[in-house]
Amino acid sequence: MDVADLLARAAGMVPADVVNEAGVTVADVREYLDYDEGEIALDLLRDLDGDRRPLGGIC
């Protein structure tokens, strides 16, 4: 298993409705993985791990 596979698995563990303060979602992470931008995808995954809030509003 390579790094891209691990990042894709990690992205699969993030709920689809999570968005960070900058508006980044797991769909953005997957898009970067599609373009072989693993380093950016990893940074975005780290950002998604912090302050989690669902899309569409404040909880």
Side-chain angles (χ1 to χ4, degrees), residues 14 17-24 44-55 57-59:
V14 178
D17 64 345
V18 172
V19 60
N20 72 8
E21 290 180 6
V24 173
L44 294 177
L45 276 172
R46 284 188 209 150
D47 288 343
L48 289 175
D49 186 45
D51 181 32
R52 292 185 178 190
R53 58 185 174 89
L55 285 171
I58 298 173
C59 291

Side-chain angles (χ1 to χ4, degrees), residues 5-55:
D5 291 334
L6 290 172
L7 290 172
R9 288 179 125 192
M13 294 179 189
V14 178
D17 64 345
V18 172
V19 60
N20 72 8
E21 290 180 6
V24 173
T25 67
V26 72
D28 298 311
V29 173
R30 288 190 181 112
E31 186 173 341
Y32 279 104
L33 288 173
D34 289 343
Y35 290 107
D36 292 325
E37 295 290 345
E39 190 171 334
I40 295 171
L42 177 60
D43 288 340
L44 294 177
L45 276 172
R46 284 188 209 150
D47 288 343
L48 289 175
D49 186 45
D51 181 32
R52 292 185 178 190
R53 58 185 174 89
L55 285 171

